[in-house]
Amino acid sequence: MALYAIGDLHLSLGADKSMEVFGEAWQGYVGKIETALSALNEDDVLVLAGDTSWGIDLAQAEPDFRFLDRFPCKKYLVKGNHDYWWGTASKMKAFFREKGITTLDFLHNNCQFYGDYAICGTRGWFLDEEGKAHDAKMLNREVLRLETSLRAAGEREKLCFLHYPPLYQGYECPQILALLEQYRVKLCCYGHLHGPTIRRRVEGRRGGVDYALISADAMGFQLKKICADPQEK
C-alpha cells in the first residue's frame, strides 16, 4: 500500500495528439506509462497532477479514462491547462458513473484523505502566463480553490499537488507560496515543465515546504512514491 504521483501523461487514445512528435523522450510513452501503472496494487493511491488527456471533451477523453481505469488503484485527478474535457464535478462524476469508470475521482475544491495525510491541490496559475488581462482573475480563483482544499484538510499532515509550478528559476507565485507555508504543507508536487524547461525546476526544501517536479517526461515515466504507508511520517 503506497501513495504515488505523476503529472502530464498527455494521453491521446481518442485524439490525434500523440506526444511522440516532441522527440526521443516521448517515444513509446503510452507503453512506458502502462508499464509503470501495471506495478500498482488495488490498495495503492495515485495522484495525476494535470494534463491527463488531450481529449477536447469527455467523450473524446473516454478511451484515456478507460485506459487508466484498467489499473485497480484509486486515482485523483488535478486539472491541467490542457485538460479541455474538464467540466463541473457533478458532470464529470455523472459521466464516470454512466460509463462504469470506478477508479477515477477529482481533486478540485476539496481534499482527499490517505490515512493521516490530507491530499490537497488545484491547477494553480502563472500570473503572467500569457500576458492576458484575465490572468489576475484566474490566479485569484486558483488561490481560493487551493485555500478551500487546505482548509478542508484540518489538522492533518498536508500533501499538495499542483499542475503549474508555484516556483521555478526566474519565477515564483507569492500568493500560492504564502498559502503553502501558512498551512504548513509538508510536500508540494507540480508538473507542467517539459523538455528544456525541466532544467529550470526548483526542488528541495524552501520555506518549510519540500518541492518536487513530477511531470512524466521529467521522471522518465516512472511514478513518484510519496509514502509507503498511510501512517508513515
Side-chain angles (χ1 to χ4, degrees):
M1 183 176 189
L3 174 64
Y4 297 91
I6 191 170
D8 304 86
L9 299 184
H10 287 287
L11 295 170
S12 60
L13 301 177
D16 186 19
K17 290 276 288 186
S18 173
M19 294 293 286
E20 291 186 341
V21 300
F22 291 104
E24 181 64 27
W26 289 92
Q27 297 306 303
Y29 75 104
V30 175
K32 295 174 186 177
I33 292 168
E34 183 173 18
T35 298
L37 298 185
S38 295
L40 294 168
N41 298 312
E42 187 173 0
D43 57 357
D44 292 326
V45 173
L46 175 65
V47 179
L48 296 170
D51 283 5
T52 299
S53 168
W54 274 117
I56 62 170
D57 53 29
L58 289 167
Q60 194 175 70
E62 182 180 349
D64 299 328
F65 299 145
R66 292 199 178 280
F67 170 81
L68 293 170
D69 200 48
R70 286 169 39 202
F71 307 97
C73 76
K74 193 68 177 180
K75 306 166 195 76
Y76 297 123
L77 280 68
V78 175
K79 185 179 182 179
N81 61 306
H82 290 131
D83 287 322
Y84 304 121
W85 52 268
W86 194 281
T88 65
S90 59
K91 180 179 179 180
M92 294 186 294
K93 289 183 177 184
F95 180 86
F96 286 170
R97 286 194 300 270
E98 176 188 345
K99 301 299 182 179
I101 296 169
T102 61
T103 67
L104 274 62
D105 203 345
F106 301 97
L107 192 56
H108 186 68
N109 285 327
N110 63 348
C111 76
Q112 305 286 352
F113 297 108
Y114 180 75
D116 291 336
Y117 285 108
I119 302 172
C120 303
T122 189
R123 175 180 55 180
W125 195 255
F126 287 142
L127 182 59
D128 57 350
E129 165 76 348
E130 296 174 342
K132 295 181 180 178
H134 74 289
D135 279 356
K137 180 179 178 180
M138 294 298 296
L139 174 60
N140 290 339
R141 186 177 298 170
E142 287 300 306
V143 168
L144 289 173
R145 285 175 174 156
L146 178 57
E147 186 157 25
T148 295
S149 181
L150 293 170
R151 282 180 175 171
E155 297 304 314
R156 298 195 191 208
E157 190 94 76
K158 299 170 185 66
L159 306 170
C160 186
F161 299 88
L162 305 173
H163 178 66
Y164 282 113
L167 74 170
Y168 60 89
Q169 293 177 26
Y171 175 85
E172 62 180 48
C173 181
Q175 297 92 329
I176 289 180
L177 294 176
L179 276 181
L180 297 176
E181 294 175 18
Q182 176 186 340
Y183 284 88
R184 299 191 297 267
V185 169
K186 178 179 181 179
L187 171 69
C188 176
C189 295
Y190 61 88
H192 188 66
L193 301 182
H194 301 295
T197 63
I198 290 172
R199 69 172 65 98
R200 296 177 64 188
R201 69 191 182 275
V202 172
E203 296 185 296
R205 196 162 185 83
R206 171 173 169 162
V209 181
D210 286 320
Y211 292 91
L213 173 63
I214 59 168
S215 54
D217 54 327
M219 298 198 302
F221 300 92
Q222 300 297 308
L223 306 179
K224 180 175 178 61
K225 189 174 186 179
I226 306 299
C227 59
D229 183 273
Q231 311 304 322
E232 180 183 307
K233 294 298 183 183

